[in-house]
Structures are given as C-alpha cells and as structure tokens.
Amino acid sequence: MFNDSSDRVRVRAIRALTVMGTRSVIYLTDEQLSIAVSAIKDSSQSVRLRIYEFLSVSVVSSNGLQQLMHAIQDNLEAYSSDLLPVYRALKLLGANHSNIITPQLTCTLLNISQHYLSREARIDDVVYAGNVILVINTKRATRHAVASVLPDYVFGHLPYLCDKYPGCLPNNLAEYVPAHLPYVRQMLVRPTPDTLVTQMTRDDDEQQTSALFTRMQRVLNKACEEPASAQIADDLVLAARTFLHTATAECRQKVVARYAELVSIGVKIKVMVESHDTMQVGEMFALTARLMHGSYEIEARTQGLDPLARTSLVYLRVLAHTAWLFAHSLSEHDPRVVAKMREELQLRATFVAQALSSDKFTAAKELLSALSNDQTPEILQHFVRGFCALEFVPKSQCQYARAEIQPGSRRPLEFDHRFPLRVPINARLFWTSRNIVANVTLPTQTTRVWRVPPNFIKPCGLMQSSLEWDVEVELPLGSGEVAAVKVTVGMECASDVPWSDAFVVRAASVPVLYDIADYYKKHESHVVVEISSLQTLSVNPIEIRPQPSAHTRI
C-alpha cells in the first residue's frame, strides 16, 4: 500500500503502521526497508512526513541504517523544507539503534580518520548536522563510547546545533564534553536566550499581577468600609476588569476579581435605595438579577470553595433578595408572591446569621437579625443601606471550571427545512463533568436548554472531558432564509430558595393577576450558568429532493 497511486491511501497506511510502532518497535527487513526508502523520495510532502514518522519507530540492520542515511542525505539536499522533520526522526532513530551505532560507524558517518587529523566539517552542512544528531542521541552507555572518538570541533559545534535545532539534541550533553573544553561546557549549561526571555517575562507578569491584585483588594476594602457612592462602584469595576484583562492570574485571584465586580453591583444598589427614586425600579431589577446570577456562577464554577467563602456569596444573595422586595414595594406587585418571598428571605437570612459565628461579623448579624423578624419597607431599606460585603478569601487550591467549544466549519450548516436541525456541540470540559447543559439561542432570540446525558461526556485527560453531542432544534425558517444559531455550554447549580430565585433571576417585576403556579412549574430549582464562550453557527435551510435513479419509473 506504500506504492498505491492515491496519496490518501499511502498516508493512511503509513499512519496505521506508525501507530503500531508507538506501542512496539517495528523491525524492518532489507526488502521492507527498500520499500520505505523508495517512499521517502515521494513527491508528496505529506507522504514524506509520514514516512519520517514511521522510520522513527522502526529498527533496521547495520547495513540498512547506512542505506537509510544515504536516502535521507539525498532528501535533505532535494527538499530543504523537510529539515526539521528529518532531524526529529534522526533523534528517535539514534535512540532505537544504540546497539548498532558503534564508534566505527560514527567515524564512517562523520568522515573521521582514526590515523590522521580530520578536517573540520562545515557547521552549516545539513547532512553533517543530521549525522551528529543521529549519533549523539544514542543511549547513555553508547554515547560515552561515541564521544570518545569525536574530535574537538564536533563538541564545539554542539552549542550552535542546540540553539539552531531546539529539541533535536539531548539536554545533558555537558557531561560528555572533555575537560580541556570548559568553554563548551559553559555554553551547553547556560540558559538559552528564549529561556531567559521567558523567565523575565514570567517575573514581570507575576509582579504586575501582584500589584494589580493588591490595588483591587484595596478598592474592595474601601467599598466595604466607606459609604456607598457611584464613584466607588466605578473604581471597583475598573480595578477588577483591569486585573482580569491584563494579568495572567491564578484561579483564586480571578475568583476574587469576579467577586469584586459583584460587590460593585451591590454598591450601585445601595446608591439607588438611598435615592428612593421610583424611576430606577427597572434598573434595580436588572442589577439584582445580575447579582443573584453572578453569585451562583462563582459558587458553581469554583471547585474547592471553603464554607466562609460560600457564606459570603449567600450574603450577596440576601442583598439581591432584599433589594428585589424593596423595589416591589415601590411598584405594583402581587401580594401572594411577596408573601412567599418574604418567608424564604427569612429562612435565607437565618441561615447566614447562624453561619457567621465569629465576633467580627457582629454588624452583619444585627442586620440579618432585624431582617429575620420583620420585612417592612423600612427594614428592607435599612438592611440595604447598612450592607457591607463580607471577606472573601478562597483557598489557593481552588480551580475554575470552564469549557472550550471546538470551532466548526465556516460554511453555513445546510439542512432540510422540513425536518429539525441537528446542531453539533463539540467541546472540551476542564474541571467539571457533571450537571452540564447546552444552551441554544434561536434566530427568534429564544433560548432553549438541554441537559447533556452523561454517556456523551468522556474523560480525555487529567480533570478534562470531551463533549460530543447533537441536539435537534425546530427552526421557524423557510427554504433559503439564512440565519444564525448561537451555542454555549453551561452548568446547572441548585438554588438555595427555588421560588424566590426563579423570580429574581428573571429580572422583572411580577404583575398583578399572574398565574404563579403555572410560572413556577416552568422554572425548576436550578440556575444555569455559562462556562464557555459563545459560538455562532450559520444555518441555511434548503429543500432536499431525492435524485431520480435509473430504476425510477417516469
């Protein structure tokens, strides 16, 4: 199959043998080696690259190795673009043929005379560099024997070859350099320029991250201690977003930055409540929804939160819950809904008060105690005005769950408009594999949520999983109406008080004469948070007609 007329067949045949060779080295006979050598000279670069990979997991005889090196030499002169793939293959060939690469074969390959002074090879000779890579990548015991016959100029070339072809020579070459060449040893053990630049960049990033994180924490403490103002909220948002967008931060710091954004929302709510402006009721509903949803997002996505950090998030939900009830006292509301939400607010406030056992939370416990006893508009306003966010210090070992949707084809997805559209969802999940949902936004701006069956989520690494699933969507489109479908991956997290949270996250007032029971049946006791970026798929509904065959009667 190596000589098949189709490039695709040859590539797949070579790939299959390469996979077998990664599990157990393949021993080639002289006849099989001749077939592989003939394939090396193929005009197709994809075939040649696959042959190099196959030879790197093969073992040949001593004569076969010399035949192979002559063929590789011809390829290096004919196809300069194959240089690095050939050198990577020679590195593995040297490791696999340590018992064949003797000092005598080394002298033959490098044109070293055992009786006369050898002429120094050109350092830019690609064939010479390939032979050095082959013999120097043998196993440790063989490498000592090979190094004993190498002239000094070969050792002098090693630092250049290491910098010129990174990853093609072993790291511990300094121990094989003779003692009378100390400058070569120093050059081999010195850090490379790339390593130095990387280390300096990492140090600068860490210093910048530490400075931005310290600034954000300072503004966060200021927001928690000083009277609420719009300026403090803006400063806190700016500090948090600057930290998230310009710093390479660890998970714990990113979670604190997200918490700072929620605290800024709480400060804005306090400013609105103090103004007592009925014109801002709609905006207050939107802020309480963002605050409630954001607290659930942090709790659901952060793996390893300690109990105090979780209590701080629940305390933010108490603020959102209270502000939502206060906003309803300024507008028309359904007394049945408000009565139920006041009952659940009392339960939530009691839970947080019991969790805050330390004396440093005395002010927060007094506010919660007053809220547990009465929920009149005056008490609600008093709680919001006196609210101060709690300390939020998650553990350094926490991890942030996320998902990466694999990019699909740029061409529009064609489907028969008379049948449902199958939307492919391929994603990589990190630090989570439970309670995964798929969110699909239709061209009508309505969003549908599907729970992903567990059997479509497969582990593919350390705390990583792959998701491959198709969902069927009914689209109200006719033939030829090109539209866009938006897809995200999310997580479900259980609500503390399902009744109230279903209304608060909805970000709107509850009108009078609303069918509460019917609404609550549609909203289960879960909050969906997105953990991936948005992917937009272009869809093109067409009408697929069956093609008449030769047996079709006309």
Side-chain angles (χ1 to χ4, degrees):
M1 299 180 74
F2 279 25
N3 299 324
D4 195 274
S5 59
S6 171
D7 290 355
R8 187 177 181 183
V9 172
R10 296 200 299 274
V11 167
R12 291 195 173 187
I14 298 169
R15 184 189 301 172
L17 285 176
T18 305
V19 173
M20 295 172 59
T22 56
R23 301 176 182 177
S24 178
V25 178
I26 299 176
Y27 293 87
L28 299 180
T29 63
D30 293 341
E31 181 181 359
Q32 294 169 340
L33 178 62
S34 299
I35 298 174
V37 167
S38 64
I40 283 183
K41 305 174 183 179
D42 199 294
S43 59
S44 173
Q45 186 181 25
S46 60
V47 175
R48 295 197 307 271
L49 296 181
R50 291 298 179 182
I51 282 290
Y52 299 146
E53 294 178 1
F54 167 68
L55 291 174
S56 65
V57 296
S58 305
V59 173
V60 299
S61 62
S62 178
N63 294 332
L65 183 60
Q66 296 187 48
Q67 177 188 356
L68 178 60
M69 292 305 297
H70 285 302
I72 290 178
Q73 176 181 347
D74 296 339
N75 266 36
L76 287 175
E77 295 173 351
Y79 306 105
S80 59
S81 60
D82 294 356
L83 188 65
L84 281 178
V86 168
Y87 285 174
R88 295 190 187 103
L90 289 176
K91 174 184 178 181
L92 298 175
L93 279 171
N96 293 337
H97 295 82
S98 297
N99 58 334
I100 296 178
I101 302 176
T102 60
Q104 292 76 17
L105 181 59
T106 301
C107 293
T108 302
L109 293 173
L110 298 178
N111 295 322
I112 301 173
S113 175
Q114 298 181 2
H115 306 287
Y116 303 100
L117 184 64
S118 300
R119 181 179 180 180
E120 182 174 351
R122 290 176 56 88
I123 196 171
D124 57 350
D125 186 352
V126 293
V127 176
Y128 162 75
N131 290 331
V132 172
I133 291 173
L134 175 73
V135 301
I136 211 69
N137 275 288
T138 52
K139 294 182 180 179
R140 189 181 185 88
T142 307
R143 197 180 303 164
H144 278 288
V146 169
S148 64
V149 300
L150 295 179
D152 291 349
Y153 68 81
V154 176
F155 293 107
H157 294 165
L158 290 180
Y160 169 80
L161 295 177
C162 288
D163 292 343
K164 180 71 174 179
Y165 310 111
C168 295
L169 285 93
N171 297 324
N172 56 342
L173 290 178
E175 61 181 279
Y176 305 101
V177 178
H180 63 274
L181 299 174
Y183 67 95
V184 177
R185 287 189 174 185
Q186 293 177 1
M187 296 180 68
L188 287 173
V189 299
R190 65 176 172 81
T192 61
D194 291 341
T195 306
L196 288 174
V197 171
T198 303
Q199 183 62 37
M200 293 174 62
T201 304
R202 187 183 299 113
D203 293 342
D204 292 343
D205 288 345
E206 290 178 356
Q207 293 178 2
Q208 183 186 25
T209 301
S210 178
L212 291 173
F213 187 68
T214 303
R215 174 175 176 268
M216 183 188 64
Q217 283 189 316
R218 190 183 305 115
V219 179
L220 180 59
N221 295 334
K222 181 180 179 181
C224 296
E225 296 173 358
E226 297 185 5
S229 66
Q231 184 63 39
I232 292 179
D234 293 340
D235 292 344
L236 191 55
V237 171
L238 179 61
R241 292 183 179 177
T242 303
F243 174 78
L244 288 173
H245 289 95
T246 62
T248 306
E250 58 182 5
C251 171
R252 180 182 64 86
Q253 295 173 328
K254 291 182 179 179
V255 173
V256 174
R258 181 64 179 131
Y259 181 78
E261 291 182 342
L262 297 183
V263 174
S264 69
I265 297 176
V267 173
K268 292 179 180 178
I269 292 176
K270 291 175 65 176
V271 173
M272 289 184 181
V273 170
E274 289 177 355
S275 65
H276 214 281
D277 187 1
T278 57
M279 301 299 294
Q280 295 181 333
V281 171
E283 186 176 355
M284 192 181 301
F285 284 140
L287 291 176
T288 55
R290 287 174 53 192
L291 183 59
M292 183 71 74
H293 189 274
S295 66
Y296 277 115
E297 180 184 359
I298 294 178
E299 183 174 355
R301 297 186 64 175
T302 309
Q303 311 296 317
L305 277 181
D306 56 285
L308 181 58
R310 293 182 184 275
T311 304
S312 301
L313 294 174
V314 179
Y315 194 47
L316 288 179
R317 292 174 205 156
V318 175
L319 173 63
H321 199 154
T322 305
W324 193 89
L325 283 173
F326 178 76
H328 272 70
S329 67
L330 303 179
S331 61
E332 292 185 356
H333 59 271
D334 192 327
R336 299 171 299 169
V337 176
V338 173
K340 180 66 175 179
M341 293 192 69
R342 285 179 175 174
E343 178 183 342
E344 293 190 342
L345 176 60
Q346 182 180 2
L347 296 176
R348 181 174 262 165
T350 304
F351 167 78
V352 177
Q354 293 176 352
L356 300 177
S357 56
S358 176
D359 294 337
K360 64 180 180 179
F361 302 121
T362 304
K365 289 194 291 185
E366 290 179 356
L367 290 172
L368 291 168
S369 177
L371 195 63
S372 301
N373 297 327
D374 195 2
Q375 289 93 26
T376 61
E378 293 76 15
I379 296 296
L380 297 176
Q381 186 179 23
H382 173 71
F383 176 84
V384 176
R385 284 180 173 179
F387 179 87
C388 288
L390 300 180
E391 182 183 22
F392 186 77
V393 185
K395 297 179 180 178
S396 58
Q397 298 86 358
C398 65
Q399 297 294 337
Y400 206 55
R402 59 187 177 89
E404 295 178 358
I405 299 180
Q406 306 299 325
S409 175
R410 295 184 179 180
R411 299 179 58 185
L413 189 63
E414 295 185 347
F415 71 102
D416 193 332
H417 70 95
R418 297 170 298 179
F419 300 96
L421 167 66
R422 297 183 65 88
V423 179
I425 301 177
N426 300 320
R428 182 67 63 89
L429 308 176
F430 300 88
W431 296 98
T432 183
S433 60
R434 302 175 59 185
N435 303 325
I436 304 299
V437 298
N439 304 321
V440 179
T441 303
L442 305 180
T444 56
Q445 300 305 315
T446 58
T447 302
R448 294 190 58 187
V449 180
W450 284 268
R451 291 187 178 92
V452 179
N455 56 311
F456 289 96
I457 302 176
K458 308 292 184 182
C460 61
L462 182 61
M463 301 307 296
Q464 297 183 22
S465 304
S466 62
L467 166 61
E468 295 182 3
W469 191 42
D470 295 344
V471 296
E472 290 189 354
V473 182
E474 295 281 354
L475 291 182
L477 298 175
S479 178
E481 299 181 26
V482 180
V485 174
K486 300 176 182 179
V487 179
T488 57
V489 176
M491 294 176 60
E492 275 188 338
C493 56
S495 302
D496 298 337
V497 282
W499 176 279
S500 301
D501 293 347
F503 286 104
V504 176
V505 175
R506 187 167 167 263
S509 175
V510 179
V512 183
L513 303 179
Y514 194 79
D515 192 351
I516 303 175
D518 181 63
Y519 175 81
Y520 190 67
K521 289 179 182 178
K522 298 178 183 178
H523 294 74
E524 300 185 13
S525 58
H526 291 86
V527 176
V528 176
V529 297
E530 296 179 356
I531 61 174
S532 73
S533 57
L534 186 69
Q535 183 190 38
T536 303
L537 300 176
S538 297
V539 294
N540 181 22
I542 59 176
E543 186 172 350
I544 302 177
R545 298 181 180 274
Q547 297 294 331
S549 64
H551 302 284
T552 303
R553 180 176 298 177
I554 301 176

